[in-house]
């Protein structure tokens, strides 16, 4: 079975705007697009106020695994197996995920900071997950 959104024709800029709108509707006070060397959007950073403090988060987007999955799946038409489509698909998947997480926040099953905790930007500019990935023992106390 092909991956979610594999046939999307929605431009990355439209999808990113939808993600930004969702984040702002749920309390984001700032949203920033980060661009790669080729001018593609590679991450969205945003701030949300938690108590008396602004917390920054970064949602990365690595389209390369998506491109590989599209390419490997013989049910995906070959004209959809390219970087541009992988970027569209990857951002649509992130949009769907953000909307689902914000639905959980809206019904108070979770808090925003709880959902996005791995994506908190730490003092050294890395996300909490990136720090964990490099040194899991630091966070796990082992």
């Amino acid at each position: 079975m092909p991956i979610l959104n594999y046939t999307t024709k929605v431009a990355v800029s439209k999808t990113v705007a939808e993600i930004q709108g969702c984040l702002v509707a749920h309390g984001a006070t700032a949203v920033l697009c980060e661009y790669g060397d080729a001018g593609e959007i590679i991450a969205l950073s945003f701030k949300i106020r938690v108590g008396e403090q602004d917390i920054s988060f970064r949602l990365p987007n690595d389209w390369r695994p998506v491109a590989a999955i599209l390419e490997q799946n013989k049910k995906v038409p070959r004209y959809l197996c390219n970087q541009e489509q992988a970027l569209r698909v990857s951002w649509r998947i992130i949009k769907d995920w953000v909307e689902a997480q914000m639905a959980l926040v809206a019904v108070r099953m979770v808090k925003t900071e709880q959902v996005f905790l791995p994506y908190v930007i730490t003092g050294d500019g890395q996300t909490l997950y990136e720090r964990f990935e490099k040194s899991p023992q630091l966070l796990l106390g082992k």
Side-chain angles (χ1 to χ4, degrees):
M1 180 170 153
I3 62 174
L4 182 67
N5 297 316
Y6 81 99
T7 61
T8 188
K9 292 181 171 95
V10 180
V12 169
S13 59
K14 180 174 176 21
T15 298
V16 168
E18 291 172 2
I19 297 168
Q20 289 172 322
C22 183
L23 292 170
V24 170
H26 289 89
T29 58
V31 182
L32 169 75
C33 292
E34 298 177 35
Y35 295 87
D37 295 335
E40 76 281 14
I41 300 174
I42 59 169
L44 270 182
S45 297
F46 61 97
K47 281 187 197 178
I48 292 184
R49 191 142 192 88
V50 178
E52 298 296 315
Q53 185 175 5
D54 285 334
I55 306 291
S56 295
F57 302 86
R58 185 154 128 293
L59 297 177
N61 181 356
D62 185 0
W63 59 269
R64 289 167 189 85
V66 174
I69 291 167
L70 291 172
E71 185 66 39
Q72 291 166 3
N73 191 318
K74 299 306 175 198
K75 292 182 180 180
V76 175
R78 297 301 91 187
Y79 73 91
L80 294 176
C81 298
N82 57 64
Q83 178 181 345
E84 186 178 341
Q85 185 65 13
L87 280 162
R88 282 194 294 265
V89 171
S90 60
W91 279 112
R92 286 312 278 183
I93 291 170
I94 290 172
K95 179 199 74 75
D96 290 348
W97 180 80
V98 168
E99 289 175 343
Q101 298 309 314
M102 289 309 194
L104 293 173
V105 171
V107 297
R108 298 187 187 104
M109 289 175 69
V110 297
K111 294 180 180 181
T112 304
E113 59 273 23
Q114 181 181 6
V115 167
F116 293 111
L117 185 62
Y119 304 104
V120 167
I121 300 173
T122 62
D124 63 1
Q126 294 181 318
T127 64
L128 189 58
Y129 175 75
E130 289 167 338
R131 289 184 70 182
F132 170 78
E133 188 176 38
K134 290 179 182 167
S135 300
Q137 68 278 5
L138 291 177
L139 295 177
L140 299 177
K142 294 182 180 182

